[in-house]
Amino acid sequence: MDIVSANRKRNFAGRILVASVLTAVFIFMFSLSPDSNSTKAFPRHEPGVTHVLVTGGAGYIGSHAALRLLKDSYRVTIVDNLSRGNMGAVKVLQELFPQPGQLQFIYADLGDAKAVNKIFAENAFDAVMHFAAVAYVGEKAMAAHKVKTLIYSSTCATYGEPDKMPITESTPQKPINPYGKAKKMSEDIIIDFSKTTNMAVMILRYFNVIGSDPEGRLGEAPHPELREHGRISGACFDAARGIIPGLKVRGTDYNTADGTCVRDYIDVTDLVDAHVLALANAKPGKVGIYNVGTGKGRSVKEFVEACKKATGVNIKVEYLSRRPGDYAEVYSDPSKIRDELNWTARFTDLQGSLQIAWRWQKTHINGYGSRNN
C-alpha cells in the first residue's frame, strides 16, 4: 500500500508539473499574440496595404524576410510550427512592430491541410512567401481564397552537379540529394498548378546563405539537434566559441583549385531584397524563375580563412573524406535577375558578412534564449 500510495503521489505531482508547464507556455504565447483589436485588420483587404503570409517566418531566412516586409509597410502574418524556427525571432519582430494590424503569428503545421484552409479562410492574404521546410505550399487553399501571388523559396540544389559553370536558369535540373529532389518536386507542382490558374508565381533558386541583419536584431540560431546538419557558417562560429572543438571539412580531393568544394555565398540581406523585388514584379498568369547568387564561387578553405579573420579565432580544422551527395563546384549566373528585376548582390565581401553575423552570435550565446550584452 505504501508503494502504491507513493506511486500515486508521484503521478499526481507529475500531472501538476505538466499542467504548470503547459499553462506557462500558454501564458507566454498569449502574451506574444496581438490583442483583439489588432486582429481585426487581418481578415479584410485594405486599399494600399499588401498582406503577406510568410510561411516559416520564425526561421533564419523567413524572419529576415518578415523584418524587411514590415519595414516596407507590408502587413505580415507568420505561420510556423517552430520545428526549425524560433519564437524568439518572432518576439523580436513583435517588439519592433507593435502597432495594431502590422504583424500576427500563427502556430500551425503546414502539413495539416485543415489548419491551412482555416488560416486562409480567416485571413485576407494578398500574397504568400513560402520559406517553410515542408514541400506543401497550399496552392489549392490559395486558389480557393483568391490569393494570387506566390513567391517560392527554392534552391540551387535542384541543379545537382551541372556539367558546366556558371549555372543559369536553363541549366538542367538533376538534383542528387534529398533536399534538392524535394524542392524540385515542389517547383514542378507549383508550375503545373499555375497552368490552370491566373496565379503570379516567382521561384527563387538561391545559393548558400550567410550573414544576418546588419543592425543586429536577428541572426541564425538553429535548434541544438539541428546544428550538426546546419550551415558551414554556424559550424565556424561554434568552433570559434568553443562549443565544438574544431571545424570538420569534408572533401579535399575535388576537382577545384584547392581541392575543397566551391560555393556561391549569398548574404541574407541580399536574398531578402530579391524576394521583395520578386513580390513587386510578380505578374498574373506568369512564372518567373531566378537564380539568386553573387556569381562568384569561393572554396571552403577560403571560407574558413575568412571566418578566422572575422572572428579573430584561429579555428582548428580537421579534413575528412567526402560527404555523399556533395558536389564539387556550384556558383550562379545572376544576369537574368539583374536584367529583369534590377537586382544585384551588394554584400559580397565574405569576411564582412561573417563579421556582421559574428557580432550577433557573440551577443546571443544561447541564440534567442538569452542576450550577453
Side-chain angles (χ1 to χ4, degrees):
M1 290 295 292
D2 290 341
I3 294 173
V4 172
S5 177
N7 286 338
R8 284 176 178 169
K9 287 181 179 178
R10 281 196 293 268
N11 290 337
F12 180 70
R15 291 192 192 102
I16 290 177
L17 177 60
V18 171
S20 299
V21 171
L22 290 175
T23 301
V25 170
F26 173 79
I27 292 171
F28 175 70
M29 296 292 287
F30 181 80
S31 70
L32 294 178
S33 300
D35 59 38
S36 59
N37 291 328
S38 70
T39 59
K40 293 178 181 177
F42 295 95
R44 59 184 175 82
H45 291 286
E46 184 177 335
V49 178
T50 301
H51 184 182
V52 183
L53 166 61
V54 181
T55 68
Y60 168 46
I61 301 171
S63 61
H64 281 79
L67 173 61
R68 172 61 191 276
L69 290 168
L70 289 163
K71 285 175 62 179
D72 288 357
S73 300
Y74 287 87
R75 178 172 292 151
V76 174
T77 292
I78 292 174
V79 172
D80 203 303
N81 68 358
L82 304 179
S83 62
R84 292 174 178 267
N86 289 277
M87 195 62 213
V90 177
K91 187 176 180 181
V92 168
L93 295 172
Q94 289 175 325
E95 290 173 349
L96 289 170
F97 301 94
Q99 294 84 355
Q102 278 194 304
L103 170 67
Q104 69 171 338
F105 171 74
I106 299 173
Y107 176 86
D109 192 330
L110 291 178
D112 184 343
K114 185 177 180 180
V116 171
N117 283 321
K118 186 174 185 290
I119 290 168
F120 276 91
E122 294 177 352
N123 292 277
F125 299 123
D126 298 295
V128 174
M129 277 192 186
H130 184 71
F131 294 98
V134 298
Y136 181 65
V137 178
E139 300 89 348
K140 291 183 180 179
M142 289 182 64
H145 296 281
K146 299 180 180 180
V147 182
K148 297 183 177 180
T149 303
L150 171 62
I151 313 301
Y152 182 66
S153 185
S154 191
T155 170
C156 65
T158 64
Y159 294 113
E161 191 169 14
D163 294 329
K164 62 179 182 178
M165 290 291 135
I167 293 173
T168 70
E169 289 77 4
S170 60
T171 297
Q173 289 178 287
K174 298 177 181 179
I176 61 175
N177 58 36
Y179 176 64
K181 290 176 182 178
K183 284 289 191 177
K184 184 182 184 303
M185 180 183 70
S186 296
E187 285 191 20
D188 292 341
I189 292 170
I190 292 167
I191 292 169
D192 286 345
F193 187 81
S194 70
K195 293 174 182 176
T196 63
T197 69
N198 198 38
M199 192 178 291
V201 176
M202 295 292 233
I203 295 173
L204 303 184
R205 296 172 182 158
Y206 56 81
F207 288 65
N208 294 67
V209 189
I210 59 171
S212 63
D213 170 43
E215 295 183 38
R217 295 163 294 189
L218 298 171
E220 184 177 12
H223 293 194
E225 66 273 17
L226 300 174
R227 296 185 86 94
E228 185 179 347
H229 307 288
R231 305 173 201 281
I232 185 175
S233 54
C236 279
F237 295 146
D238 283 352
R241 288 162 50 185
I243 296 174
I244 57 177
L247 185 65
K248 295 179 179 180
V249 173
R250 295 190 175 274
T252 58
D253 59 347
Y254 289 98
N255 187 24
T256 59
D258 62 21
T260 61
C261 293
V262 169
R263 297 290 182 265
D264 189 340
Y265 296 99
I266 175 77
D267 192 284
V268 67
T269 301
D270 285 328
L271 178 59
V272 166
D273 287 346
H275 280 79
V276 174
L277 281 170
L279 177 59
N281 288 276
K283 295 179 173 58
K286 302 290 185 182
V287 177
I289 299 175
Y290 299 96
N291 289 336
V292 187
T294 65
K296 181 179 181 180
R298 308 290 290 270
S299 76
V300 171
K301 281 187 177 178
E302 286 181 274
F303 187 97
V304 172
E305 289 306 310
C307 196
K308 287 180 180 179
K309 292 177 181 177
T311 62
V313 178
N314 187 23
I315 299 167
K316 179 183 176 182
V317 183
E318 181 182 2
Y319 293 98
L320 304 172
S321 59
R322 295 188 187 190
R323 181 173 57 186
D326 275 350
Y327 23 84
E329 190 175 33
V330 174
Y331 61 94
S332 70
D333 176 356
S335 57
K336 183 182 178 185
I337 192 170
R338 180 195 64 212
D339 296 341
E340 295 186 9
L341 301 188
N342 196 30
W343 176 91
T344 302
R346 296 178 294 130
F347 296 88
T348 56
D349 177 7
L350 187 58
Q351 183 179 328
S353 290
L354 292 172
Q355 283 175 329
I356 290 172
W358 176 239
R359 282 201 298 267
W360 190 87
Q361 294 289 327
K362 285 195 299 182
T363 57
H364 296 76
I365 299 300
N366 296 312
Y368 287 101
S370 67
R371 290 179 58 87
N372 184 38
N373 61 3

